[in-house]
Amino acid sequence: MIKAISLTLSKGKTERIRWDKWTNWYLAQGTVETADYGQLEGEGHDEEITLETNYPFAFLDTMSANVSPSNPMVMITHRSPKTRDAAKARQQLVNDTMRRNKMHAKFWDTSSFAGLCGRGWLKTTWDERTGRPITRVVDPRKVFYDQSLAWDDGPRYIFEAGARTKAEFHERVEKGQYDKEVAKTVQAGKIPDWMVDSAGGESTHLNDASREVFSWIIVYEFYDLAGKKFFHLVEGAEK
């Protein structure tokens, strides 16, 4: 699985360069300053593009406004009289969860990512502290999946890269979330360049100071969809 992760990260390098370029256009206030986006096949670099109107921003915001409901809600229809109350309770639960998670803003961010990167991801997990599901938007540069099959067949695997400080990592080890024996072989280091976009965005939700001050461990949450298994993986570990 570590080999699959390494190969997937390597193949996604060109894609991430393009995302940085398009994100820079989207964020620019009329002018895209000269920037080196590396060698892209069939594309130049070190180029300056001047836009009187920021069309990427206007297009994506218009698209997001049309596909992201201002007050997202669902209606669950019961199929028989005896399930009427159950359907009503489930409807209230789903709508309350979307309201608490502020899904309007998250749908907007996800659609913006989809417009820029061709895909947008939402991840829902159970929060033990609040006792309810929490949904968050995940930067596409941190999510990778098996692209050898059509979505109709379903990808065989998908994984997310997450940055943990050394302290956070060992705290999870003590809680039993990570294997203690494997954790002994893990080395902390810096945030890899591929997790930070060169367009000046905040894809890692980390500022420059925190990246320099802390030691980091990259943990891959690997979902084996074919085998219906879930793993935590780190580079350099045998297990």
Side-chain angles (χ1 to χ4, degrees):
M1 284 180 285
I2 289 294
K3 185 177 181 180
I5 289 175
S6 298
L7 289 173
T8 304
L9 293 177
S10 177
K11 291 182 179 180
K13 181 178 179 180
T14 301
E15 187 175 52
R16 291 192 294 273
I17 292 173
R18 289 196 176 99
W19 291 351
D20 288 346
K21 183 176 183 178
W22 297 335
T23 301
N24 207 342
W25 290 359
Y26 173 75
L27 296 175
Q29 298 299 318
T31 301
V32 179
E33 297 179 355
T34 302
D36 184 1
Y37 297 101
Q39 296 289 344
L40 286 179
E41 183 178 353
E43 297 185 28
H45 62 286
D46 288 331
E47 58 186 3
E48 183 174 348
I49 301 175
T50 301
L51 303 174
E52 293 184 1
T53 302
N54 191 336
Y55 288 110
F57 181 88
F59 173 81
L60 286 174
D61 266 33
T62 301
M63 179 195 72
S64 295
N66 280 276
V67 301
S68 305
S70 57
N71 185 25
M73 299 178 66
V74 301
M75 183 174 65
I76 299 177
T77 304
H78 59 277
R79 295 188 177 184
S80 65
K82 65 179 182 180
T83 61
R84 176 180 300 171
D85 291 340
K88 184 178 181 180
R90 292 184 181 183
Q91 176 178 304
Q92 291 174 340
L93 175 62
V94 173
N95 290 335
D96 180 68
T97 299
M98 288 199 293
R99 179 183 60 81
R100 290 175 180 268
N101 276 284
K102 300 179 180 179
M103 291 307 299
H104 165 64
K106 292 176 180 179
F107 286 149
W108 188 292
D109 291 342
T110 304
S111 63
S112 297
F113 272 130
L116 284 168
C117 307
R119 67 195 69 143
W121 299 96
L122 287 167
K123 181 178 180 180
T124 301
T125 55
W126 183 260
D127 189 311
E128 294 183 357
R129 183 178 60 84
T130 60
R132 60 183 177 87
I134 299 295
T135 300
R136 62 184 178 88
V137 180
V138 184
D139 190 325
R141 72 173 50 250
K142 299 198 300 183
V143 180
F144 308 85
Y145 62 96
D146 174 25
Q147 300 188 37
S148 62
L149 298 175
W151 274 106
D152 292 342
D153 300 321
R156 288 172 293 191
Y157 65 83
I158 182 171
F159 65 90
E160 177 190 356
R164 312 278 187 264
T165 66
K166 188 176 180 179
E168 289 172 343
F169 179 84
H170 288 290
E171 181 181 347
R172 298 192 181 200
V173 172
E174 293 301 319
K175 290 181 178 179
Q177 296 179 6
Y178 302 152
D179 188 282
K180 288 187 177 182
E181 292 302 316
V182 176
K184 293 178 182 179
T185 66
V186 175
Q187 299 293 323
K190 293 184 177 181
I191 295 285
D193 293 339
W194 59 263
M195 290 190 74
V196 185
D197 67 75
S198 62
E202 298 180 354
S203 60
T204 60
H205 303 289
L206 304 169
N207 57 37
D208 292 336
S210 63
R211 285 197 297 268
E212 294 296 329
V213 169
F214 296 105
S215 294
W216 299 90
I217 298 172
I218 308 304
V219 178
Y220 300 97
E221 296 184 355
F222 192 98
Y223 300 83
D224 178 0
L225 302 180
K228 297 182 179 180
K229 297 179 180 179
F230 170 72
F231 304 90
H232 284 117
L233 302 170
V234 291
E235 292 186 34
E238 295 181 359
K239 296 182 180 181

